[in-house]
Amino acid sequence: MHQAMKNVRHFIQSVGIMLRALAIGGRAAGRRMALAAIVAAGCLSSAAAQAPKLPAGFVYLRDIDPTIIQDMRYAGANNFVGRPLKGYQAAECVVKREVGALLKSVQEELELQNLSLKMFDCYRPARAVADMVAWSRDGKETPAQKRYNPAFSKADLFRLGYIATHSGHSTGAALDLTLVDLKADNSAAFDPGKDYGDCTANVNLRAPDGSVDMGTGYDCSDVKSHTAAKSITAAQRRWREKLVLLMARRGFVNYSKEWWHFSLPGAGGQAYDFPITPRK
C-alpha cells in the first residue's frame, strides 16, 4: 500500500518535470499528453487510497503465500454461532508479517509431501470476541450449535477454557489451522440444512472440514479435542503430532485443549479491533 502510493508520487513528480520542459519548448500537443498523464496518475492515487489498509505489521496471508488453503469459518455460517461474527467482512486470513513468513516456511515443507496448511481463523477483531461472549450468555442453544459442545452447555465454555473474553487472535499472533492431504478427495462441502453428527463423531458422520482426520472437527469443545487426548486413534494422533512438530520448529506453541490452536510468543502485543475487509 505504502509502496504503491510512493510510486504514484514519483510518477507525478516525473510528469511534472516533463510538463515544465515541454512548456518551455512550446509543444502544445505534448503539454496535453502530460496533463492527461497527471490526471491518470491522480486516479491511480485515489484508487490506492481506497485500497484496504491494514495497521503497520499486519498482512493478508494470501499476499505472503497464496497456496495456503483458507476456510475462514467466522466469516460465514459454518461455525458454532451459526452466522458471521462481527468484524468479519471478508473471508481473509490476516496475520502479523512475521507470522505469515513462518507459515510460508511450513507450507514449503508440506508441499514436498503433497500436504497443505488450511487456515480456519487468524486475526480476530476484538468485536468478534465480544460477539462470542454475548452469544454464550444469551441462554439459547440450537441443535446445530450443540454439535460443537456435545458434553456440556455453552454457558460452561468460559469456565472450561474453550472461550476467553480476551483472545490472542486479536493480536494477530494466534492461529487456528489444520492439515490437508492434497491427494485425498476434499470436495465434500458443508450443508447448513444437513443433520450432522456432533464434532466428536466418526469423520464420516460429522460436518466436513476438508482436511485430514484429527479425531474431532474444528472448534470442538470437548476433551477429545485436547491435543494429547487418549480417546483418538493412532493415525489421528500421528496427524496431531505432525502438526505440532511442524509448528514448533518455527517457534509456535500449541494450546493443549485445542489441537488446532497455535500462537507465536513475542509476536503479539496489543489487541486490535479493525474489521477484516476484502483484500482487493
Side-chain angles (χ1 to χ4, degrees):
M1 171 66 179
H2 296 298
Q3 185 60 44
M5 291 297 293
K6 186 176 181 181
N7 292 341
V8 169
R9 286 196 297 270
H10 286 170
F11 178 62
I12 292 174
Q13 290 170 359
S14 298
V15 172
I17 293 171
M18 181 176 67
L19 177 60
R20 288 193 294 272
L22 289 172
I24 293 171
R27 286 177 283 184
R31 288 200 300 273
R32 287 194 296 272
M33 291 177 62
L35 283 169
I38 290 177
V39 171
C43 292
L44 288 173
S45 177
S46 176
Q50 294 172 11
K53 183 179 180 180
L54 298 175
F58 282 86
V59 295
Y60 287 97
L61 181 60
R62 215 176 295 275
D63 288 334
I64 300 295
D65 192 333
T67 71
I68 296 176
I69 300 168
Q70 297 189 27
D71 180 10
M72 310 312 293
R73 293 296 182 84
Y74 299 135
N78 186 12
N79 57 61
F80 61 85
V81 178
R83 58 168 172 77
L85 291 180
K86 294 178 179 178
Y88 284 81
Q89 299 174 15
E92 290 286 351
C93 172
V94 173
V95 292
K96 288 287 183 67
R97 184 175 295 278
E98 61 186 295
V99 173
L102 292 171
L103 289 175
K104 180 178 177 64
S105 171
V106 175
Q107 183 75 349
E108 289 172 345
E109 180 176 345
L110 288 172
E111 285 176 342
L112 301 176
Q113 307 169 53
N114 285 312
L115 298 172
S116 173
L117 286 175
K118 184 173 190 175
M119 313 304 300
F120 288 130
D121 194 35
C122 302
Y123 159 74
R124 183 185 303 165
R127 72 190 74 180
V129 178
D131 200 6
M132 286 184 180
V133 174
W135 167 83
S136 72
R137 295 172 178 170
D138 66 12
K140 304 172 185 177
E141 195 162 17
T142 68
Q145 293 171 342
K146 186 66 177 174
R147 290 202 308 262
Y148 291 89
N149 50 286
F152 48 82
S153 167
K154 71 178 187 179
D156 295 323
L157 290 171
F158 287 96
R159 178 178 61 82
L160 296 174
Y162 293 106
I163 294 181
T165 54
H166 297 86
S167 173
H169 282 277
S170 299
T171 71
L175 309 159
D176 293 345
L177 47 74
T178 189
L179 297 173
V180 174
D181 181 353
L182 298 176
K183 304 185 302 299
D185 180 4
N186 300 301
S187 61
F190 173 71
D191 180 355
K194 189 172 181 178
D195 185 20
Y196 293 108
D198 71 56
C199 61
T200 66
N202 182 280
V203 67
N204 297 316
L205 300 176
R206 62 181 188 255
D209 280 330
S211 61
V212 302
D213 181 12
M214 292 287 190
T216 74
Y218 167 60
D219 251 356
C220 185
S221 298
D222 191 88
V223 293
K224 195 174 181 180
S225 291
H226 295 190
T227 309
K230 304 298 183 183
S231 55
I232 59 175
T233 68
Q236 292 163 350
R237 183 170 296 106
R238 284 195 295 272
W239 282 121
R240 292 189 185 187
E241 290 173 348
K242 182 178 185 67
L243 179 59
V244 169
L245 181 59
L246 282 164
M247 298 297 285
R249 285 175 183 160
R250 279 80 179 178
F252 290 98
V253 176
N254 172 246
Y255 176 46
S256 64
K257 290 188 176 182
E258 299 175 346
W259 57 258
W260 57 83
H261 181 95
F262 293 83
S263 57
L264 185 64
Q270 75 176 86
Y272 290 80
D273 190 40
F274 63 91
I276 301 170
T277 55
R279 174 170 154 266
K280 290 183 180 178

